[in-house]
Amino acid sequence: VDTTKMFFCMHGYWLVVPFSGLEISALGAVLYLCARKTHRAEMIRINPKGVQISRNWEPRRVRHFQTHWVQARMQPGAHPWYGSSLLLGSHGTYLEIGAFLNEADRQGLKDELTRCIAAARLSGATMQETSRSYLTAWHVEGELDAVHG
């Protein structure tokens, strides 16, 4: 039991007890939300047939794009204060990826995705292995899996 709570309760300030419990509950909720945001990740799978994007906070939703048409592009922010957005998609349907990355890592991810998509279009067989703080890719049965988060 919190000694501060007990001190105020013993001196007749019993209203401190419920507010102290409310404060601890609010702190627990904020810590839970921070921990949940910390483990955000996006999985990008690139192979000659298509590009699949899934997110661990949307487990049942997987986005598909054809490798031949997909492109990664940077869209500048609406105001200089806002960072740019990395968009991946085709035919007018784009999905923002890497929103939780800083500007330099987002640009590096765009360059790496462009390289991997070009390699998938050309060879279709094997991809190079790469490892960076914002992108980890590995070769699995003719596909390139990329996870950043």
Side-chain angles (χ1 to χ4, degrees):
V1 177
D2 187 11
T3 57
T4 307
K5 245 191 313 191
M6 292 303 291
F7 173 79
F8 283 112
C9 195
M10 301 270 294
H11 285 85
Y13 300 108
W14 58 269
L15 278 175
V16 171
V17 175
F19 286 104
S20 178
L22 184 65
E23 179 184 9
I24 295 297
S25 298
L27 178 64
V30 168
L31 288 175
Y32 170 76
L33 291 175
C34 286
R36 191 170 163 199
K37 293 273 184 177
T38 301
H39 297 290
R40 290 178 59 166
E42 294 172 319
M43 171 81 116
I44 302 169
R45 175 170 279 166
I46 301 171
N47 64 36
K49 296 177 186 172
V51 176
Q52 299 175 356
I53 303 167
S54 60
R55 297 171 167 166
N56 66 347
W57 68 92
E58 295 177 339
R60 293 183 178 18
R61 191 169 189 182
V62 178
R63 311 276 172 77
H64 300 275
F65 298 104
Q66 293 179 356
T67 304
H68 184 71
W69 298 106
V70 72
Q71 54 182 292
R73 64 184 176 108
M74 298 292 284
Q75 180 176 328
H79 189 275
W81 290 346
Y82 302 117
S84 62
S85 300
L86 174 56
L87 304 175
L88 189 66
S90 65
H91 296 96
T93 304
Y94 287 89
L95 175 67
E96 182 179 6
I97 59 172
F100 44 84
L101 297 174
N102 64 34
E103 196 68 31
D105 286 346
R106 203 174 299 128
Q107 182 62 46
L109 176 61
K110 178 205 175 276
D111 296 341
E112 190 69 22
L113 284 172
T114 302
R115 186 189 69 77
C116 291
I117 290 169
R121 287 179 188 148
L122 293 176
S123 69
T126 59
M127 306 287 174
Q128 295 179 4
E129 184 176 325
T130 181
S131 178
R132 297 195 182 164
S133 62
Y134 55 86
L135 177 67
T136 305
W138 59 92
H139 176 73
V140 179
E141 298 176 9
E143 297 181 348
L144 179 71
D145 291 339
V147 179
H148 63 281

